[in-house]
Amino acid sequence: SQKIEQNSEALNIQEGKTATLTCNYTNYSPAYLQWYRQDPGRGPVFLLLIRENEKEKRKERLKVTFDTTLKQSLFHITASQPADSATYLCALEPSNTDKLIFGTGTRLQVFP
Amino acid sequence: KAGVTQTPRYLIKTRGQQVTLSCSPISGHRSVSWYQQTPGQGLQFLFEYFSETQRNKGNFPGRFSGRQFSNSRSEMNVSTLELGDSALYLCASSLEPTGGGQETQYFGPGTRLLVL
């Protein structure tokens, strides 16, 4: 069956460290993968999009990788700050569906 | 530029009632998608509208319906509410329809619906 899996357990890290979140997918062949941030009580906010022919994408302290062989995307936040605490969602669009499918998200908690 | 707005923000209904939620997309955006978010199921796609036409629909019963107006504003309706319909309903807009997964979606703050 088709699945997008993100670690459901919260990730707790210390301020200044690098946070790494994982998104694994099964039985999809997406051309793009997106990452969003969601704060409690708010809608998701788009962060980054990576194409299948891109190995890595960066934006300020954020870095996303996309391994179509492993069917995995990694999302890194370097020099993490308490303000980075939120739930991070990955999303992809299965071929020929025109529907954006989201993972269940991983909650990141950065403590001082 | 104003973001996506949704009204109402909070709603309490009882089983069997119906509800209408409204979404105003970012100015110039022509595509509106609706999602249901629950702790157990995460964010699930309901439907997408573009140019007043439903382009796509998720796996939800016919009690869930929507429409889009000529100004791109959209409404979704849920009839015969069930307890399981309690959720955060999110609307997202984009310039063009989602196709291939490269279109960025801009989400509203959501409508929190509680069915008693």
Side-chain angles (χ1 to χ4, degrees):
Chain A
S1 63
Q2 295 176 314
K3 286 190 294 187
I4 302 175
E5 292 181 306
Q6 294 185 257
N7 195 339
S8 58
E9 290 181 16
L11 178 63
N12 297 310
I13 66 164
Q14 191 171 26
E15 183 176 10
K17 302 289 187 187
T18 295
T20 299
L21 287 73
T22 305
C23 175
N24 294 302
Y25 56 93
T26 309
N27 292 329
Y28 289 119
S29 297
Y32 306 88
L33 197 140
Q34 302 185 22
W35 283 88
Y36 288 77
R37 167 186 172 140
Q38 186 173 23
D39 292 284
R42 295 182 175 233
V45 174
F46 172 78
L47 295 174
L48 279 168
L49 178 150
I50 187 165
R51 293 171 171 77
E52 62 178 342
N53 60 355
E54 295 177 313
K55 289 281 192 268
E56 181 181 297
K57 194 85 168 274
R58 291 177 186 260
K59 179 183 173 183
E60 297 171 355
R61 295 183 296 110
L62 309 180
K63 184 178 86 170
V64 172
T65 62
F66 192 9
D67 190 326
T68 55
T69 302
L70 289 179
K71 294 189 179 295
Q72 180 182 78
S73 175
L74 298 178
F75 178 82
H76 307 271
I77 305 176
T78 59
S80 59
Q81 304 165 0
D84 295 326
S85 299
T87 295
Y88 291 86
L89 303 156
C90 66
L92 56 83
E93 189 164 299
S95 304
N96 303 319
T97 65
D98 289 347
K99 301 177 193 179
L100 200 59
I101 308 296
F102 284 81
T104 50
T106 297
R107 187 163 154 267
L108 172 66
Q109 186 74 35
V110 181
F111 55 91
Chain B
K1 195 185 269 190
V4 177
T5 57
Q6 292 186 245
T7 56
R9 292 294 312 277
Y10 304 93
L11 208 47
I12 300 176
K13 292 284 189 180
T14 55
R15 278 182 302 174
Q17 287 188 308
Q18 74 160 19
V19 66
T20 299
L21 312 181
S22 180
C23 171
S24 292
I26 291 172
S27 178
H29 284 195
R30 300 187 296 164
S31 174
V32 173
S33 297
W34 287 89
Y35 295 85
Q36 181 196 66
Q37 188 173 35
T38 58
Q41 298 295 321
L43 205 60
Q44 291 190 290
F45 173 79
L46 278 158
F47 26 66
E48 180 186 20
Y49 285 87
F50 178 74
S51 293
E52 302 177 65
T53 301
Q54 187 181 90
R55 289 190 73 246
N56 235 317
K57 190 171 176 5
N59 297 325
F60 280 83
R63 301 185 295 107
F64 291 81
S65 63
R67 59 177 175 167
Q68 185 180 36
F69 302 95
S70 57
N71 62 358
S72 295
R73 192 177 69 84
S74 177
E75 288 181 348
M76 68 162 280
N77 185 277
V78 188
S79 62
T80 320
L81 283 165
E82 299 177 1
L83 296 180
D85 296 333
S86 296
L88 180 67
Y89 289 89
L90 291 158
C91 158
S93 76
S94 55
L95 278 168
E96 298 295 329
T98 58
Q102 61 180 315
E103 196 67 31
T104 299
Q105 298 217 305
Y106 296 83
F107 284 82
T111 295
R112 174 80 58 186
L113 172 65
L114 177 62
V115 182
L116 301 175

